[in-house]
Amino acid sequence: EYRQILDKYFITSLKKTRDFLKNGYLKKSRKTKGMDSILNGNVFYQYLVDRETTQISMSIIDIHNYGLIEIERILNKIELIGDVDDSIISTNSIIYYKKLNKEIEKTTIDKYFNPIKIPECKIKLIPKVREKNYSIAYYQSPTINDNDGTFYISDGTNKNQSKSLSLHENKPGHHYQFSIALDSNVPYYRIWSGWNSYIEGWALYVENLGIYDRNELIGKYYLELLRAIRLVVDTGINYYNWSFERSYNFIKGIIPNI
């Protein structure tokens, strides 16, 4: 009976939506990609920039140029370190990250944070159905009724990036951040409002509290490099009217094996 109801209502509605997008909506959609091609697009883009950052006076041009400067800075740091071991986690990824989290608790949490009891963060593999469309790791925040946040990881991630990812997503990053907020008197709308200058700003900050060896430091810089590239490509597409090909070539020119 459940399957019949699913087929009759849910699957049927999905097919109708698919057919509408394919046969109607997409045919009448604009062919351009960036926000600069829509009415008042640059004004709206600047509004989004102001909303998501604390640098209200920072123009889109400033952000684009800052991204270029950051890319050069990070590449110089990577060059100074030189060649390192570049390996994939070959053991059970969940066990590996749990062990890594215990190490971080001793070297970072105990050193910089007051001993506050918060729920343990669940660590799970990204479901197979989502793997192709998600990043290598992400955090699912707790809900009002369930304080257990979840750190999702791809199976066999790059070992060099694991510590930076764990600091960012687990404790003392997003999991610590949301758990403390839920345990306080902060209104719920503030917890889940999605202000990136705070949410991602905190997670990026605590990445710098970790103790890294040479291999892990390369992994940290690689993730920083991806974020700097985003600044250039996002503004390139939405302000400078970059094509897909130009954006793709820009990224491949910096990280050929991405």
Side-chain angles (χ1 to χ4, degrees):
E1 183 182 358
Y2 169 77
R3 183 69 196 183
Q4 290 176 343
I5 294 174
L6 194 66
D7 288 340
K8 182 178 179 181
Y9 296 104
F10 184 68
I11 302 300
T12 301
S13 295
L14 276 181
K15 288 180 178 178
K16 286 181 179 179
T17 303
R18 179 201 62 190
D19 293 341
F20 165 71
L21 291 174
K22 181 180 178 180
N23 302 321
Y25 185 83
L26 288 178
K27 291 181 178 180
K28 297 183 179 180
S29 298
R30 62 189 176 97
K31 305 303 180 184
T32 54
K33 294 177 175 60
M35 293 185 66
D36 66 305
S37 62
I38 64 175
L39 182 63
N40 295 321
N42 284 339
V43 175
F44 183 55
Y45 189 42
Q46 183 67 58
Y47 160 77
L48 293 176
V49 168
D50 294 344
R51 182 182 181 276
E52 296 294 341
T53 70
T54 56
Q55 300 290 337
I56 294 178
S57 62
M58 199 169 190
S59 70
I60 295 167
I61 296 173
D62 291 335
I63 292 174
H64 186 88
N65 292 334
Y66 179 72
L68 293 171
I69 293 170
E70 278 291 281
I71 289 170
E72 184 178 2
R73 177 187 69 84
I74 298 164
L75 288 175
N76 287 337
K77 284 183 173 291
I78 290 173
E79 187 177 357
L80 286 174
I81 294 176
D83 295 333
V84 297
D85 295 330
D86 190 21
S87 59
I88 301 298
I89 296 173
S90 56
T91 57
N92 184 294
S93 296
I94 294 177
I95 294 175
Y96 181 89
Y97 271 93
K98 285 183 176 179
K99 182 179 178 181
L100 180 60
N101 189 55
K102 288 182 179 179
E103 176 193 326
I104 290 171
E105 285 185 354
K106 292 179 181 178
T107 58
T108 301
I109 303 293
D110 291 349
K111 181 177 180 180
Y112 294 109
F113 297 88
N114 292 327
I116 301 174
K117 186 173 179 58
I118 63 173
E120 282 299 310
C121 182
K122 297 175 183 176
I123 301 177
K124 297 181 179 181
L125 295 178
I126 297 175
K128 293 291 184 182
V129 71
R130 295 182 179 177
E131 271 187 333
K132 291 183 179 180
N133 299 316
Y134 275 71
S135 59
I136 56 175
Y138 65 92
Y139 177 71
Q140 180 66 53
S141 62
T143 64
I144 298 172
N145 299 318
D146 180 10
N147 270 8
D148 295 334
T150 306
F151 173 27
Y152 285 96
I153 54 172
S154 294
D155 196 16
T157 53
N158 188 296
K159 188 180 292 186
N160 294 347
Q161 299 167 20
S162 59
K163 180 169 285 185
S164 187
L165 286 171
S166 195
L167 285 159
H168 185 110
E169 307 289 357
N170 200 334
K171 292 183 291 186
H174 290 319
H175 182 66
Y176 192 91
Q177 180 183 41
F178 277 99
S179 297
I180 294 296
L182 280 170
D183 200 36
S184 66
N185 294 320
V186 176
Y188 290 141
Y189 80 88
R190 288 181 58 189
I191 297 175
W192 287 291
S193 60
W195 300 105
N196 276 324
S197 53
Y198 165 64
I199 295 175
E200 294 303 329
W202 171 258
L204 293 176
Y205 164 70
V206 296
E207 283 183 24
N208 294 292
L209 302 181
I211 298 174
Y212 297 89
D213 61 28
R214 289 178 69 253
N215 294 333
E216 293 166 338
L217 197 56
I218 282 287
K220 176 179 182 293
Y221 288 151
Y222 177 83
L223 294 175
E224 287 184 10
L225 185 61
L226 288 178
R227 293 161 189 148
I229 289 172
R230 287 180 195 168
L231 294 179
V232 178
V233 173
D234 196 285
T235 51
I237 292 171
N238 290 294
Y239 187 82
Y240 289 105
N241 197 28
W242 281 17
S243 64
F244 171 83
E245 289 74 19
R246 181 172 181 180
S247 303
Y248 177 82
N249 291 333
F250 178 83
I251 297 170
K252 292 287 284 185
I254 300 170
I255 309 178
N257 61 341
I258 191 170

